[in-house]
Amino acid sequence: MSLDLKFTYTEKKDTRSGFGDGFLEAGRRNPNVVGLCADLIGSLKMGDFQKEFPDRFFQTGIAEANMIGLAAGMAIGGKIPFAGTFANFATGRVYDQIRQSVAYSDKNVKICASHAGLTLGEDGATHQILEDLGMMKMLPHMTVINPCDYNQTKAATLAIAEHEGPVYLRFGRPSWPIFTPADQKFEIGKAWKMIDGKDVTIFATGHLVWEAVVAEAMLRQEGIHAEVINIHTIKPLDEEAILESVKKTGCAVSAEEHQINGGLGDSIAQTLIRHNPAPLEYVGVNDSFGESGTPTQLLEKYGLNAENIVKAAKRALARK
Amino acid sequence: MKKQSIEELQKICTQLRRDVLRMVHAVQSGHPGAPLGCAEFFVALYFDQLHHNPDFQMDGKGEDLFFLSNGHLSAGWYSVLARSGYFPVEELKTFRKLNSRLQGHPATHEHLPGIRVASGSLGQGLSVAIGTAQAKKLNGDDKLVYLLMGDGELQEGQVWEAAMYAAHYGVDNLIATVDYNGQQIDGPTTKVMDLKNLKAKWEAFGWEVIETKNGNDLKSVIEGLELAKSLTGKGKPVMNLLYTEMGYGVDFMVGTHKWHGSPPNDEQLAKALGQLEETLGDY
Ligand SMILES: Cc1ncc(C[n+]2csc(CCOP(=O)(O)OP(=O)(O)O)c2C)c(N)n1
Ligand SMILES: [Mg+2]
């Protein structure tokens, strides 16, 4: 049975390309934008910027700690540094550097993290960081963004260039449906209600926004009307949008390519607990590491795909 | 700032040492040893060498900048900042107290003039200084970036990442100084983790290296910094190995790691201050 999707796509692309294209555009708009990368220029799609602005781009070699410090220093000198590497090495490996030199020092550094989550696929658990959102959202001063497709990632990249302050921008490796508009305006901290519904709210971030769109259509076939809200900004969290939606629907599901511990769902739970306790079901990785496989296989095995969102929505509904 | 004579500068050193001891004594915490050993460096830098502007701007455009990577020397840095006009000397009495801008380790959070990045977790400052030096180049700003770090601190891997990077990019508007006091928390560096031939190490990483053999002699320190400055702009980052004695200036504190992070008690303070003339007026 074919699904009646509220959002569709004609093309797939990786979100990191959205970052790379946005980064190039940001560089054209503002001469203070500079780039740094720790031997992953191709993977981060930073090559076009490097080619066009060689004097404003710094290959750091495989030395992420140094890269974070360099970026803080460049920010002191009035530059807007975008420091790119894999999400694992952009967070866990350099947590103390980010904490002291960037977050506590409130530097205008953009930490650009690719290959986040399970969907980097075959490289396996050493590279599949599932704790980064938690680590970054715990840092005072840090803004944390996880866009959902190529277009949104590009828009987010342009938006963070204009935002003053430390930002963690998370994106990924796999080719993914492009289902949001090319000309969208990206407002940091403002959730986007993509689909109106009345029975249950699905709060999704990153790649799982697409899974939520699919889940909504599946639920509708069974007469369940889900509201889908795109939480591209994990911090600051749009609590108002969350509360308004749950007030209407009475229950919710969070969906993210991240550990349940410390992720988006955790933040939503805090919001609901404080203002409007309501049933919430988590779609996320449940306290385990990932493994090698294709993105599709991994999302299925770890319970993160549309089918799992549907099941979670039904569980939440049953608890109303 | 008008140049002062060695005698005048010497007086500031003595006062800085008094400030440091009184500050750590007042809160019975903090690190006296290394700032005592770096008094001549701090004073030579802020009162003689730096082209700086006490009218503090974070971006420091058009002026020399200084970064303290070994943030536990905060008492010494705060003293020299206050004494050179960044904030009221009176404020030194708030060191390490609640609601103070003079945090235990330097921070930007409280907006204390003179501080551009937090430090305390060792090993990060060189990277930041290099980044700022590169930003200066991009900005067409010909002023210099200075940095101080500890010798024990060099055991951190990030320092060597930064060392490699600075040479690769020819960051030659940077003068890094190592407080080569041979001491760290658990004992002499030779015992804890021997740094072996530091000069050869930095040279092998592609730096221009000078040695200031008597880092507690003001004239030598100034000459060393002058020499270092003369070596900037030649394609290589400059390293100044500054031989100091931890605890210098107080006979029972000198040359041992025991005073790295221990404050003097009342009796010890009185004894120490008896060896350091009050020259500019205590805060
Ligand atoms: C990353 C990190 N590890 C450990 C410490 C604790 N610590 C503070 S000072 C110090 C010794 C540093 O030695 P050195 O750089 O030689 O400074 P000195 O003792 O000479 O002042 C240590 C281990 C720290 N501040 N940061
Ligand atoms: Mg030492």
Side-chain angles (χ1 to χ4, degrees):
Chain A
M1 192 173 14
S2 81
L3 286 170
D4 170 29
L5 295 167
K6 297 271 186 180
F7 285 80
T8 53
Y9 68 95
T10 52
E11 198 191 347
K12 285 181 161 192
K13 233 179 190 178
D14 42 9
T15 52
R16 58 188 165 143
S17 287
F19 163 70
D21 292 347
F23 177 46
L24 176 62
E25 180 60 32
R28 287 176 178 160
R29 291 186 191 176
N30 187 339
N32 279 324
V33 169
V34 299
L36 302 104
C37 186
D39 199 21
L40 287 168
I41 294 170
S43 298
L44 268 283
K45 306 288 179 188
M46 294 175 103
D48 289 343
F49 181 104
Q50 183 192 32
K51 218 155 115 206
E52 192 161 322
F53 306 109
D55 299 340
R56 285 157 53 192
F57 192 86
F58 303 91
Q59 163 68 270
T60 68
I62 313 157
E64 296 79 10
N66 183 44
M67 177 170 74
I68 297 299
L70 293 167
M74 288 178 187
I76 290 169
K79 302 295 151 196
I80 306 170
F82 282 63
T85 180
F86 288 162
N88 189 18
F89 316 135
T91 56
R93 192 178 184 93
V94 295
Y95 196 68
D96 187 42
Q97 284 78 11
I98 295 175
R99 184 176 178 276
Q100 173 168 285
S101 295
V102 176
Y104 184 40
S105 296
D106 212 359
K107 293 292 169 255
N108 194 18
V109 169
K110 316 303 170 189
I111 297 160
C112 307
S114 186
H115 293 53
L118 292 172
T119 54
L120 79 85
E122 294 77 0
D123 274 345
T126 53
H127 287 51
Q128 288 161 337
I129 191 147
L130 297 164
E131 308 87 44
D132 55 326
L133 294 177
M135 284 190 276
M136 291 298 118
K137 83 176 189 187
M138 276 199 292
L139 288 172
H141 298 171
M142 188 65 78
T143 292
V144 181
I145 298 174
N146 187 192
C148 66
D149 70 354
Y150 170 91
N151 283 339
Q152 193 174 57
T153 307
K154 185 173 175 188
T157 305
L158 288 165
I160 65 171
E162 287 177 14
H163 168 89
E164 176 79 28
V167 175
Y168 179 66
L169 181 69
R170 179 200 218 223
F171 41 91
R173 173 173 184 267
S175 188
W176 210 249
I178 305 179
F179 58 101
T180 72
D183 60 354
Q184 68 190 277
K185 184 164 178 299
F186 189 93
E187 274 188 84
I188 295 172
K190 196 105 191 79
W192 172 25
K193 190 203 287 181
M194 298 180 69
I195 303 173
D196 245 313
K198 60 177 174 49
D199 300 325
V200 54
T201 310
I202 304 169
F203 296 109
T205 193
H207 291 131
L208 294 206
V209 175
W210 173 250
E211 299 297 324
V213 166
V214 175
E216 186 275 337
M218 293 163 80
L219 286 162
R220 197 161 10 95
Q221 283 186 337
E222 302 186 42
I224 299 168
H225 294 274
E227 181 146 300
V228 175
I229 299 191
N230 178 332
I231 309 272
H232 49 68
T233 307
I234 314 285
K235 188 186 169 191
L237 191 64
D238 190 345
E239 295 203 314
E240 213 174 300
I242 290 167
L243 291 168
E244 192 185 303
S245 177
V246 175
K247 203 163 115 196
K248 177 174 60 172
T249 62
C251 67
V253 172
S254 61
E256 61 196 306
E257 201 183 340
H258 189 271
Q259 297 288 352
I260 292 171
N261 276 330
L264 167 66
D266 240 12
S267 294
I268 292 172
Q270 284 183 32
T271 305
L272 294 179
I273 282 287
R274 275 187 280 118
H275 303 283
N276 177 22
L280 170 69
E281 292 288 329
Y282 301 107
V283 171
V285 175
N286 189 12
D287 203 22
S288 79
F289 290 101
E291 63 181 289
S292 295
T294 66
T296 311
Q297 289 170 337
L298 290 164
L299 290 186
E300 186 186 342
K301 175 163 179 180
Y302 287 82
L304 304 186
N305 61 12
E307 284 77 17
N308 289 283
I309 296 175
V310 166
K311 283 186 204 152
K314 290 180 181 171
R315 286 199 306 272
L317 272 165
R319 290 171 53 201
K320 264 217 249 190
Chain B
M1 202 177 286
K2 146 176 138 351
K3 289 261 180 192
Q4 303 192 47
S5 69
I6 291 284
E7 292 70 33
E8 284 171 309
L9 294 176
Q10 195 62 62
K11 286 183 182 162
I12 308 174
C13 295
T14 311
Q15 189 65 50
L16 183 147
R17 290 192 163 94
R18 285 182 71 90
D19 289 348
V20 165
L21 289 167
R22 294 180 66 243
M23 286 160 77
V24 300
H25 169 263
V27 284
Q28 281 300 297
S29 75
H31 305 79
L36 289 178
C38 289
E40 283 75 18
F41 172 80
F42 280 130
V43 170
L45 193 67
Y46 274 83
F47 285 87
D48 189 75
Q49 292 290 304
L50 274 187
H51 295 279
H52 62 120
N53 186 0
D55 177 16
F56 180 70
Q57 300 292 328
M58 183 57 85
D59 64 17
K61 285 189 179 140
E63 59 173 327
D64 292 341
L65 302 183
F66 171 71
F67 291 95
L68 182 77
S69 187
N70 40 355
H72 61 280
L73 277 72
S74 54
W77 195 19
Y78 295 149
S79 169
V80 82
L81 283 172
R83 298 279 170 193
S84 61
Y86 280 80
F87 55 85
V89 171
E90 267 301 287
E91 201 170 338
L92 293 177
K93 69 170 183 255
T94 70
F95 177 60
R96 283 183 168 245
K97 290 184 178 153
L98 195 63
N99 299 324
S100 172
R101 298 197 293 177
L102 280 58
Q103 292 291 298
H105 291 83
T108 57
H109 200 252
E110 288 74 21
H111 305 291
L112 187 69
I115 297 179
R116 292 184 169 81
V117 75
S119 58
S121 174
L122 296 166
Q124 301 185 30
L126 182 58
S127 304
V128 177
I130 293 166
T132 307
Q134 288 193 297
K136 275 203 177 304
K137 285 185 181 250
L138 288 171
N139 293 336
D141 177 345
D142 63 0
K143 290 290 186 289
L144 299 175
V145 174
Y146 289 83
L147 164 97
L148 181 67
M149 56 188 165
D151 51 0
E153 183 177 10
L154 302 182
Q155 291 153 5
E156 285 287 354
Q158 185 181 345
V159 172
W160 302 98
E161 295 181 5
M164 198 183 290
Y165 178 96
H168 178 82
Y169 280 96
V171 182
D172 59 3
N173 53 344
L174 170 75
I175 299 174
T177 295
V178 166
D179 174 21
Y180 205 173
N181 61 14
Q183 307 290 339
Q184 56 190 109
I185 290 187
D186 284 344
T189 51
T190 46
K191 285 210 177 131
V192 176
M193 183 52 61
D194 200 338
L195 300 162
K196 302 278 182 185
N197 191 338
L198 270 191
K199 183 162 189 282
K201 279 193 170 71
W202 286 96
E203 280 171 352
F205 272 78
W207 286 54
E208 191 66 61
V209 184
I210 66 160
E211 292 183 289
T212 302
K213 288 285 185 172
N214 192 347
N216 293 117
D217 175 64
L218 198 48
K219 197 159 160 287
S220 307
V221 175
I222 291 172
E223 282 166 7
L225 288 171
E226 289 284 358
L227 175 60
K229 197 182 285 187
S230 74
L231 295 169
T232 59
K234 298 193 192 319
K236 286 181 175 188
V238 179
M239 167 52 64
N240 175 26
L241 295 176
L242 182 77
Y243 291 69
T244 68
E245 289 217 68
M246 186 178 263
Y248 188 87
V250 178
D251 59 6
F252 63 92
M253 290 184 167
V254 73
T256 160
H257 65 276
K258 303 231 161 60
W259 293 94
H260 161 95
S262 313
N265 62 25
D266 294 352
E267 194 185 323
Q268 291 163 332
L269 177 72
K271 201 167 151 204
L273 293 181
Q275 300 171 27
L276 299 163
E277 192 192 342
E278 183 180 346
T279 51
L280 305 180
D282 287 339
Y283 62 82

